[in-house]
């Protein structure tokens, strides 16, 4: 298949052990050195074009890596090309090595200017993947969306089979769309995503009538479906603060960036 024009370059840690006499010497990271390049190989049919932005978003655990390319063009069944549709690419690491193999490409449920892959996350435990698409219009124009690609252990694949033959055999669609009921046009929900042990956080930096922004929390239930639990906002938020430009989660802690917040009298200083 065609390869992205700018392969993602990984780095691996060079390990060194302490000189002290321990029964099991503690390992420390002495340096990081370039590792393998993650390039696409498989039945991906679209022609490589300038400006894919492959590597715009990256997430990984100790088994898989997910690389976002929000400007990937996708081909419709009639042969026309949708620029800016976007996609994300999944790679699997060969245990004990620095070898990564392309597994699947993940796309949105529709071929439009979605910017799918602007943000990506992978669960460290169950390998579920969430991909943000700030331009998705499932709820309203540019309201955005976040797509869950649940890991199928039996087939070692994510999401569901594509219903668009022109996108290739290695391409998968979401198993679930995350679309809060209060989404409005141009919210850009999915601009950022994070995922940890079944809890997902999705940023919507243009949420609210004055773009104060918000972040939404979803929790995976026993059946594998993610349910919305809470909407996070800044009670003291101001116009165009854009909470949710970036989000992160670790255990029961969530962080959300507010890139345009005015701090200590400094306009758009951020926090």
């Amino acid at each position: 298949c065609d390869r992205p024009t700018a392969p993602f370059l990984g780095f691996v840690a060079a390990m060194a052990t302490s000189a002290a006499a321990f029964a099991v010497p503690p390992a420390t990271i002495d340096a990081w050195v370039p590792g393998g390049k993650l390039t696409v190989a498989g039945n991906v049919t679209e022609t490589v074009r300038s400006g894919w932005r492959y590597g715009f978003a990256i997430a990984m655990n100790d088994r898989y890596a997910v690389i976002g390319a929000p400007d990937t063009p996708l081909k419709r069944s009639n042969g026309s090309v949708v620029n800016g549709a976007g996609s994300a690419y999944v790679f699997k690491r060969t245990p004990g090595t620095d070898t990564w193999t392309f597994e699947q490409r993940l796309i949105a449920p529709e071929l439009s200017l979605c910017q799918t892959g602007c943000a990506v996350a992978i669960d460290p435990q169950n390998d579920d993947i969430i991909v943000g698409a700030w331009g998705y219009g499932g709820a309203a124009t540019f309201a955005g969306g976040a797509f869950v690609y649940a890991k199928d252990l039996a087939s070692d694949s994510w999401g569901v089979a594509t219903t668009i033959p022109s996108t290739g055999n290695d391409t998968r669609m979401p198993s679930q769309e995350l679309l809060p009921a209060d989404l409005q046009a141009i919210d850009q929900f999915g601009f950022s995503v994070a995922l940890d042990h079944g809890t997902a956080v999705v940023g919507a930096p243009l949420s609210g009538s004055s773009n104060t922004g918000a972040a939404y929390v979803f929790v995976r239930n026993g059946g594998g479906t993610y349910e919305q639990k809470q909407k996070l906002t800044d009670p003291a938020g101001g116009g165009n603060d854009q909470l949710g430009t970036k989000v992160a989660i670790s255990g029961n802690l969530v962080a959300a960036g507010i890139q345009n917040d005015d701090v200590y009298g400094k306009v758009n200083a951020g926090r």
Side-chain angles (χ1 to χ4, degrees):
C1 81
D2 299 317
R3 297 167 180 254
T5 55
F8 171 71
L9 177 63
F11 287 80
V12 294
M15 306 300 290
T17 57
S18 170
F22 292 98
V24 180
T28 59
I29 296 177
D30 186 51
W32 294 87
V33 296
K37 290 184 177 181
L38 280 65
T39 56
V40 176
N43 187 23
V44 178
T45 59
E46 280 65 48
T47 302
V48 171
R49 299 184 178 204
S50 298
W52 274 30
R53 294 200 294 169
Y54 175 82
F56 183 86
I58 301 167
M60 67 188 305
N61 58 22
D62 61 352
R63 299 171 296 280
Y64 300 100
V66 188
I67 313 297
D71 278 325
T72 305
L74 295 177
K75 188 183 297 182
R76 293 192 176 102
S77 297
N78 64 7
S80 63
V81 173
V82 180
N83 292 313
S87 57
Y89 297 84
V90 183
F91 296 82
K92 183 177 182 179
R93 184 187 184 195
T94 302
T97 73
D98 186 37
T99 301
W100 296 82
T101 304
F102 168 69
E103 293 285 294
Q104 289 175 332
R105 179 177 62 176
L106 311 178
I107 66 172
E110 68 176 28
L111 298 188
S112 62
L113 179 59
C114 291
Q115 291 284 287
T116 305
C118 65
V120 295
I122 184 168
D123 196 284
Q125 183 177 47
N126 60 33
D127 298 327
D128 282 355
I129 293 171
I130 293 183
V131 177
W134 66 259
Y136 181 57
T141 303
F142 293 138
F147 309 127
V148 177
Y149 302 84
K151 177 69 180 299
D152 183 351
L153 297 178
S155 62
D156 198 27
S157 62
W158 288 263
V160 300
T162 178
T163 58
I164 307 171
S166 60
T167 55
N169 296 333
D170 293 331
T171 300
R172 306 284 288 182
M173 286 183 163
S175 46
Q176 182 185 353
E177 297 180 40
L178 303 182
L179 296 174
D182 65 344
L183 278 187
Q184 301 293 319
I186 319 178
D187 275 358
Q188 295 192 358
F189 175 82
F191 193 90
S192 59
V193 298
L195 181 59
D196 183 41
H197 289 80
T199 300
V201 185
V202 183
L206 300 188
S207 176
S209 59
S210 57
N211 299 339
T212 51
Y216 295 78
V217 179
F218 300 81
V219 176
R220 190 179 193 262
N221 64 24
T225 299
Y226 286 79
E227 300 176 334
Q228 183 181 333
K229 294 297 181 182
Q230 195 169 350
K231 179 180 180 179
L232 308 179
T233 59
D234 181 4
N240 202 40
D241 277 358
Q242 298 186 16
L243 183 151
T245 47
K246 297 297 179 183
V247 294
I249 181 172
S250 178
N252 61 353
L253 299 175
V254 171
I258 312 175
Q259 69 171 1
N260 289 337
D261 192 20
D262 299 339
V263 180
Y264 301 124
K266 306 298 183 181
V267 177
N268 294 347
R271 66 180 170 99

